[in-house]
Amino acid sequence: MSLFQNIVIILLLIIGGGFLSLTEIAFAGARKVKLKILAEAGEIRAQKVLDLQGNSADFFAASQIGMNAIAILGGILGEAAFRPYFVNFVDRFYDGPLTQPIGFALSFTLVTSLFILFADLMPKRLAMIAPEKIAIAVINPIQIFIIICRPLAFFINAIANVLFRLFKINTKRDDNITFDDISAVMDAGAQAGVLQKQEHHFIENVFELEERNVPSSMTTRENVIFFTLIESEESIRQKLAEFPYSKFLVCNHNIDDVIGYVDTKDLLVRILNNQKINQLNESTIRNVLTIPDTLTLSELLDRFRSSKEKFAVVINEYALVVGVITLSDIMITVMGDWVTPTDEDQQIIKRDENSWLIEGSTPIEDLKHALGIDEMPDDESYETLAGFMMYRLRKIPRPADTVIFNDYKFEVVDVDHFKIDQLLVTRLNSITPLATEESKNNSE
């Protein structure tokens, strides 16, 4: 064959190799989520791509057969076509026993470079730009190519399967989407500007509902305002004026003897009708949803939906009331900074760039968000910042007791009847982050 004919054949081989490289990366990189969306929209070829991904052994066997055959044939033709010209070129500068090897090396380098550049590197980089579109565009010709190569591909796959079984290698692909996968996609979207910072924060909080327990968002026992059956009208009016809640617990004698709850709206109607509001009865008191403190916020949402309630009493394993929680509390957990409480109710107050005044009852998850801490040590052993201090100090904290952890200093500021009211948290910029926590008792 003439040089022109060899060049034409080599170009066709390069195009064929590039096509196979393009499709191989496109099918491997095509995301199933996008393909499913396209298939549901009526794109038949998208479903074909999904079917091919589900049974990819035939495709990869056919692809490797084609690519290796093209590479070998291209090398043979290229070496035979270009070596004489390179030998003649070398003879102009060098006349010796190495002329033929040098000509062979130059022709081999030229053909190999052409195949690497145009049949491998560039097609694969192009396929990574839009793998779904390319996979859909080439699915029909690839299916024909697979049918042509099926006899040899069947033989090769049979040998490969025997070897996989021999070495006990599982070849099934796990396509289950985990929270880490979704989180990585959200992070990438936030970095690319697709998700705003606040939207990213919302989505993270929604996923945290599955992990956060009810006590992390409830109103704790000591802060619950309730009525008793023998409470005076003046006391009820005072509580209604002082605490702008929409619902109040009704108890017999103490908070652990819960009867139900009353809606503030019902009491206001009685006031407008000049009726006494201290005569709480069945027409006023509603049944209250009672839940264990081991529920997650996600499970509580299911309870609210099934019971049509928005208010629940939280009890522990000893049937003691540990707090109350509403649907609004869960929404605040999700919305975060968008529903910032007033200064007097705010649990975390940022004093400056490196210090915070934080209430002891602050949930650990809120603390981690505020300080940018990924993990707290042994966080399954406590739920609040006060619990963290007690766990690490191994005693009832006193004012000025400190704990240093992960470049942060936690100092007890105020204690009321063994309860940690407030702490001062300071970032220690000059100290290298500690791998382990150390604590000290300044009061001893």
Side-chain angles (χ1 to χ4, degrees):
M1 289 188 295
S2 64
L3 177 62
F4 176 75
Q5 291 174 325
N6 283 328
I7 291 176
V8 170
I9 294 175
I10 291 173
L11 288 177
L12 292 176
L13 291 175
I14 289 175
I15 293 173
F19 176 76
L20 292 176
S21 295
L22 185 80
T23 55
E24 187 176 41
I25 295 299
F27 286 132
R31 287 162 286 191
K32 287 194 173 184
V33 174
K34 282 193 173 183
L35 291 173
K36 287 180 179 179
I37 293 174
L38 292 172
E40 291 173 356
E43 178 57 76
I44 299 176
R45 293 177 298 174
Q47 186 58 52
K48 291 182 179 180
V49 176
L50 287 170
D51 295 338
L52 184 61
Q53 287 182 335
N55 186 19
S56 59
D58 289 341
F59 164 70
F60 284 114
S63 176
Q64 292 304 308
I65 291 171
M67 293 177 67
N68 282 281
I70 287 173
I72 294 172
L73 185 58
I76 294 173
L77 292 176
E79 192 276 333
F82 298 118
R83 186 176 61 172
Y85 296 93
F86 280 114
V87 169
N88 292 333
F89 177 76
V90 172
D91 279 337
R92 297 180 182 179
F93 308 98
Y94 171 76
D95 185 12
L98 297 178
T99 302
Q100 291 294 331
I102 292 174
F104 170 79
L106 291 175
S107 62
F108 173 81
T109 301
L110 174 63
V111 175
T112 302
S113 299
L114 290 174
F115 272 86
I116 291 175
L117 181 61
F118 296 107
D120 194 53
L121 180 61
M122 290 180 64
K124 288 181 177 178
R125 291 182 63 178
L126 288 173
M128 290 302 297
I129 297 174
E132 294 82 15
K133 291 182 179 180
I134 295 175
I136 290 173
V138 302
I139 182 62
N140 289 332
I142 281 297
Q143 286 184 322
I144 297 174
F145 179 72
I146 291 174
I147 294 174
I148 296 173
C149 298
R150 181 160 293 167
L152 183 56
F154 175 80
F155 177 72
I156 293 175
N157 278 327
I159 297 176
N161 291 335
V162 170
L163 293 175
F164 283 135
R165 292 193 189 100
L166 180 64
F167 291 103
K168 298 180 180 180
I169 298 176
N170 184 12
T171 58
K172 291 184 178 180
R173 178 177 174 177
D174 184 9
D175 290 320
N176 293 328
I177 298 177
T178 64
F179 171 75
D180 291 335
D181 298 330
I182 299 175
S183 179
V185 171
M186 290 192 303
D187 291 341
Q191 292 176 2
V194 178
L195 282 177
Q196 295 182 5
K197 182 179 180 181
Q198 199 66 42
E199 294 172 334
H200 187 204
H201 182 62
F202 289 166
I203 297 173
E204 281 188 333
N205 288 346
V206 169
F207 280 109
E208 281 187 5
L209 296 182
E210 194 67 39
E211 300 178 357
R212 293 183 63 162
N213 289 333
V214 167
S216 68
S217 298
M218 71 180 183
T219 300
T220 55
R221 175 189 178 98
E222 60 271 17
N223 294 318
V224 174
I225 306 301
F226 64 94
F227 302 146
T228 64
L229 293 178
I230 60 174
E231 192 151 357
S232 65
E233 182 169 351
E234 181 182 354
S235 176
I236 293 178
R237 285 176 178 270
Q238 184 178 355
K239 288 180 179 179
L240 288 174
E242 185 177 354
F243 304 100
Y245 300 147
S246 62
K247 296 174 177 61
F248 290 86
L249 277 184
V250 178
C251 305
N252 194 3
H253 293 93
N254 57 65
I255 191 172
D256 294 315
D257 192 6
V258 177
I259 299 174
Y261 75 94
V262 291
D263 197 306
T264 305
K265 180 177 63 177
D266 296 335
L267 296 180
L268 292 178
V269 169
R270 294 175 69 91
I271 292 175
L272 292 174
N273 292 331
N274 296 319
Q275 297 175 337
K276 291 186 176 182
I277 60 175
N278 64 331
Q279 296 177 349
L280 302 175
N281 50 42
E282 294 181 355
S283 63
T284 308
I285 301 175
R286 305 185 185 186
N287 292 328
V288 65
L289 177 64
T290 304
I291 61 169
D293 60 357
T294 54
L295 288 185
T296 64
L297 294 179
S298 178
E299 291 172 329
L300 177 57
L301 276 177
D302 290 335
R303 295 285 182 91
F304 279 153
R305 183 174 63 251
S306 60
S307 64
K308 309 298 182 184
E309 291 287 347
K310 299 179 181 179
F311 178 77
V313 175
V314 186
I315 64 172
N316 61 14
E317 59 183 311
Y318 303 106
L320 300 178
V321 174
V322 294
V324 296
I325 189 168
T326 67
L327 183 60
S328 297
D329 294 328
I330 302 178
M331 293 303 101
I332 290 173
T333 302
V334 174
M335 300 296 286
D337 296 339
W338 275 45
V339 284
T340 303
T342 59
D343 289 341
E344 62 182 12
D345 295 328
Q346 195 170 352
Q347 290 185 306
I348 302 176
I349 300 176
K350 189 172 184 178
R351 302 171 69 239
D352 52 48
E353 288 300 319
N354 295 307
S355 66
W356 297 259
L357 195 62
I358 305 179
E359 290 187 6
S361 60
T362 302
I364 285 297
E365 294 297 330
D366 294 342
L367 175 74
K368 287 159 61 176
H369 278 305
L371 302 185
I373 299 176
D374 293 330
E375 294 292 336
M376 296 291 286
D378 303 322
D379 55 3
E380 69 279 356
S381 301
Y382 46 86
E383 295 170 347
T384 64
L385 177 56
F388 165 74
M389 295 295 292
M390 295 176 68
Y391 180 79
R392 303 308 275 180
L393 290 169
R394 316 306 293 180
K395 68 182 185 66
I396 302 298
R398 301 177 184 176
D401 282 356
T402 62
V403 168
I404 297 176
F405 168 75
N406 200 28
D407 201 18
Y408 287 96
K409 177 183 177 183
F410 300 84
E411 181 179 358
V412 178
V413 175
D414 185 26
V415 177
D416 182 18
H417 294 90
F418 305 112
K419 175 190 172 184
I420 303 176
D421 276 344
Q422 287 187 327
L423 297 97
L424 177 63
V425 180
T426 308
R427 182 187 287 119
L428 306 176
N429 293 320
S430 60
I431 300 178
T432 303
L434 301 178
T436 59
E437 172 270 346
E438 67 180 64
S439 61
K440 63 180 180 179
N441 182 358
N442 292 336
S443 63
E444 294 181 354

